[in-house]
Amino acid sequence: EAGVVQSPRYKIIEKKQPVAFWCNPISGHNTLYWYLQNLGQGPELLIRYENEEAVDDSQLPKDRFSAERLKGVDSTLKIQPAELGDSAVYLCASSAGAFSANVLTFGAGSRLTVL
Amino acid sequence: TQLLKQSPQFLSIQEGENLTVYCNSSSVFSSLQWYRQEPGEGPVLLVTVVTGGEVKKLKRLTFQFGDARKDSSLHITAAQPGDTGLYLCAGAGAGSYQLTFGKGTKLSVIP
């Protein structure tokens, strides 16, 4: 069974340009997460979906970040316009439920470099 | 916000040595997870602990959850180069779904 698939793996853009990341979770996993991981830091939650509903987006900078999960499966995270400080790894994860002890399966991440 | 402090931040040891890394907080967690992350990959779950005082073993790795459920430790016996990676702890508060991650301990095991 394929794990969580993310693309692109790497993206280099100039500041003020838009960028989008795509995530395909594990089949049957209703809960999907987007995390931000800066160099040398642990992941920080950006948004959590239960099926197609964003149930926690309190940490998502809504002035430039947006996300969607149409049909409750794949998800896209967009940044427009990108800033230098957005350079980081964007991790997608999924789980079978939102219970705190649920296993999160992470994708390999999308590494963004903003020049 | 529940903060998780991990120590040491960096650890470099020789193959065959033992080591312990720590995860501490002033908050109580209903559950705590340990992940290992290799360069260019996402974190991979190693273990989940939910009961105060719980000890779990995974081959050469021993995980302990503190009695008060505020701290945890990971002990590796006879470290091998394949243990190299970033070890992250993540905790969830009572009644919360949200995991808070520590900054991690970066372990290098030198052959």
Side-chain angles (χ1 to χ4, degrees):
Chain A
E1 178 184 326
V4 176
V5 180
Q6 291 189 245
S7 69
R9 289 294 313 275
Y10 305 93
K11 188 73 175 180
I12 301 174
I13 61 172
E14 293 187 345
K15 63 181 180 181
K16 300 185 181 180
Q17 294 299 307
V19 64
F21 305 111
W22 174 81
C23 173
N24 180 238
I26 289 177
S27 178
H29 278 193
N30 296 327
T31 307
L32 184 145
Y33 312 76
W34 282 102
Y35 282 87
L36 165 72
Q37 186 174 27
N38 287 304
L39 187 64
Q41 304 292 319
E44 300 172 31
L45 182 68
L46 289 172
I47 189 168
R48 177 176 74 96
Y49 282 93
E50 290 294 334
N51 297 305
E52 67 275 8
E53 182 182 0
V55 295
D56 183 0
D57 62 358
S58 58
Q59 301 303 313
L60 189 72
K62 299 181 183 62
D63 57 336
R64 297 183 301 106
F65 287 66
S66 64
E68 60 182 12
R69 191 184 184 198
L70 300 177
K71 300 182 181 179
V73 181
D74 295 0
S75 178
T76 302
L77 177 69
K78 297 179 181 178
I79 308 174
Q80 182 172 10
E83 297 179 352
L84 294 175
D86 296 331
S87 294
V89 175
Y90 292 84
L91 293 164
C92 179
S94 69
S95 67
F99 180 58
S100 62
N102 268 137
V103 175
L104 265 64
T105 302
F106 283 86
S110 294
R111 180 178 293 277
L112 173 66
T113 301
V114 182
L115 302 176
Chain B
T1 302
Q2 297 168 309
L3 294 177
L4 279 165
K5 293 186 177 181
Q6 291 192 243
S7 60
Q9 188 174 358
F10 300 98
L11 186 58
S12 181
I13 62 171
Q14 294 290 329
E15 181 176 0
E17 293 184 349
N18 302 331
L19 67 112
T20 302
V21 298
Y22 301 92
C23 175
N24 295 289
S25 175
S26 58
S27 302
V28 175
F29 292 99
S30 61
S31 67
L32 194 138
Q33 300 179 342
W34 284 93
Y35 292 79
R36 182 171 68 212
Q37 184 176 22
E38 298 186 19
E41 300 296 329
V44 176
L45 181 68
L46 296 173
V47 76
T48 300
V49 286
V50 296
T51 304
E54 183 176 4
V55 177
K56 283 191 173 180
K57 292 190 176 183
L58 183 66
K59 297 183 180 178
R60 295 176 293 99
L61 278 61
T62 301
F63 305 85
Q64 185 164 9
F65 202 14
D67 291 341
R69 290 183 290 135
K70 293 182 177 181
D71 53 81
S72 182
S73 64
L74 160 59
H75 181 79
I76 301 179
T77 303
Q80 299 177 1
D83 296 326
T84 293
L86 179 68
Y87 288 81
L88 295 159
C89 66
S96 171
Y97 61 86
Q98 185 171 343
L99 281 176
T100 299
F101 282 83
K103 293 184 177 182
T105 293
K106 189 172 183 179
L107 171 65
S108 297
V109 182
I110 303 168

